[in-house]
Amino acid sequence: MSIDGPDIVIETTGLTRVFTRRAGRGLRSLRRTALTAVDDLTLRVDAGEAVGYIGANGAGKSTTIKMLVGILVPSAGSVRTCGLDPVRDRRILARHVGVVFGQRSQLWWDLPVRESFAILAAIHRLRPSDATAREEELVARLEMGGYLDTPVRQLSLGQRMRAEVAAALLHRPRLVILDEPTIGLDVLSKQRLRQFLLAERAAHGTTLLLTTHDMGDIERLCDRVVLVDHGRAVHDGDLAGLARTVGARRELVVDLLAPSPDLVGIPHTVHLMSDGGGIRQRLAFDADATTAAQVLAAVASRAEVRDLTIEEPDIEDVVRRVYEASGRDR
């Protein structure tokens, strides 16, 4: 089922935001400098897409989000979100967008989760029957039944983030913007949240814009990734294409049953390190040249494998490589 509305959910052309700040010390300092946080950004996100919007801290991600939802006014360029002008139509846009900031809460700290949902349903002017049905759906799918009557301040981080996501989705928004939603979560909490978001997209055709430093979030949730540097988009495509542009490699970590000589000479791999006399070894491989299964088969032909882990390129490392390749001064 898809959500009615324009086919283009996010569209920016030449979007720019410049901040002016005082330079020097003291309140009487008159010298000002201009900081360009978002620079001539042209971006399109179609209905139903899931896009990872990534970059180093200070690259302009949060500033972009604030312009998409009408919190900040662009210095230049244009932006349309869900077919609306975010500043002029901010109240109408709020009905179509749900936002989750990993470091900020939209829940009432001293109230039980259930009461926060009731307040938000009233703010969005949901009919009582619709609000009840949607709340029951979200509570069941996010496994929140055990703490609906618990004050938000008493929740664990994982419980609170599930409640935050439910609050953002209570009014069935067309666009969900998640800013570092899994930061600080344990592995199980991350898995639950990712599975829910995948199911929500499949059931309702929700469009997703995700900023994160967690490669797992991007890999499991996003069809496409946009990398920003100094407020400019320097890559727009799939994650594999981003990694290929800088030669980033996947890594296979194997734990062997007995110490073994270094596993060198395996086709399309580079042996990185050995620990414990060779019981644990790490090999890097190019996913375009071979597969994890082929590498593992070659390893197993030389030593008995007890356990293994496949590690994807770290987003920070990929971003750093892109910056270095572009020759930008960080």
Side-chain angles (χ1 to χ4, degrees):
M1 182 177 72
S2 63
I3 300 175
D4 294 335
D7 292 335
I8 304 175
V9 175
I10 296 172
E11 186 172 29
T12 74
T13 303
L15 186 63
T16 301
R17 174 67 196 201
V18 179
F19 293 99
T20 302
R21 60 185 181 185
R22 284 193 179 124
R25 297 180 179 179
L27 295 176
R28 297 182 179 180
S29 175
L30 299 178
R31 187 165 59 91
R32 297 177 180 271
T33 59
L35 172 65
T36 302
V38 176
D39 188 4
D40 194 29
L41 177 68
T42 296
L43 176 67
R44 170 175 168 157
V45 177
D46 292 334
E49 274 196 288
V51 177
Y53 192 59
I54 66 173
N57 291 332
K61 304 185 297 297
S62 294
T63 301
T64 302
I65 289 173
K66 290 174 182 176
M67 288 191 286
L68 291 178
V69 298
I71 296 173
L72 286 177
V73 178
S75 302
S78 65
V79 55
R80 305 284 290 182
T81 305
C82 297
L84 301 168
D85 181 317
V87 175
R88 186 187 64 206
D89 304 318
R90 186 175 172 188
R91 288 189 177 183
I92 301 174
L93 181 61
R95 303 174 192 168
H96 301 281
V97 178
V99 183
V100 177
F101 288 100
Q103 302 288 357
R104 299 184 186 126
S105 179
Q106 61 189 313
L107 304 170
W108 281 261
W109 196 242
D110 292 314
L111 294 182
V113 174
R114 190 190 305 275
E115 293 187 25
S116 285
F117 289 169
I119 294 171
L120 289 167
I123 289 173
H124 289 294
R125 299 181 182 178
L126 302 181
R127 290 184 299 181
S129 59
D130 291 342
T132 299
R134 181 59 166 162
E135 180 181 321
E136 290 176 352
E137 176 191 8
L138 293 169
V139 167
R141 289 168 59 189
L142 282 165
E143 303 176 29
M144 297 188 299
Y147 56 87
L148 273 180
D149 295 312
T150 303
V152 172
R153 58 183 166 77
Q154 295 179 10
L155 301 181
S156 69
L157 179 58
Q159 291 172 334
R160 185 176 69 79
M161 285 310 303
R162 277 182 276 163
E164 295 282 359
V165 170
L169 292 170
L170 190 63
H171 58 296
R172 298 184 186 273
R174 297 192 61 234
L175 169 64
V176 176
I177 300 175
L178 304 173
D179 189 10
E180 299 286 1
T182 63
I183 190 168
L185 297 187
D186 60 58
V187 173
L188 181 58
S189 295
K190 287 183 182 182
Q191 180 181 352
R192 283 174 174 164
L193 188 53
R194 290 166 180 164
Q195 288 173 340
F196 166 75
L197 291 169
L198 288 171
E200 180 72 12
R201 283 190 65 212
H204 301 294
T206 310
T207 305
L208 178 66
L209 183 69
L210 171 69
T211 76
T212 183
H213 286 82
D214 191 316
M215 177 69 78
D217 290 344
I218 299 294
E219 286 182 326
R220 290 164 179 77
L221 296 175
C222 298
D223 313 312
R224 176 176 146 219
V225 60
V226 176
L227 171 64
V228 287
D229 173 25
H230 287 101
R232 285 182 171 266
V234 295
H235 174 85
D236 188 344
D238 61 24
L239 187 58
L242 175 60
R244 282 196 300 269
T245 62
V246 293
R249 300 170 297 184
R250 303 174 78 190
E251 294 184 8
L252 175 67
V253 182
V254 290
D255 291 333
L256 307 177
L257 283 177
S260 170
D262 290 350
L263 296 169
V264 297
I266 293 177
H268 308 295
T269 71
V270 175
H271 183 272
L272 298 177
M273 55 80 72
S274 293
D275 279 338
I279 286 183
R280 167 169 288 188
Q281 301 197 32
R282 182 183 295 265
L283 296 91
F285 64 96
D286 183 350
D288 283 339
T290 188
T291 66
Q294 290 171 328
V295 175
L296 180 59
V299 170
S301 70
R302 293 171 52 175
E304 194 167 355
V305 177
R306 180 173 59 85
D307 197 6
L308 66 95
T309 304
I310 297 174
E311 297 182 358
E312 303 296 337
D314 180 78
I315 278 186
E316 289 293 339
D317 181 55
V318 171
V319 170
R320 178 183 57 79
R321 288 169 179 251
V322 170
Y323 290 152
E324 290 174 349
S326 68
R328 284 184 175 271
D329 179 11
R330 299 300 298 155

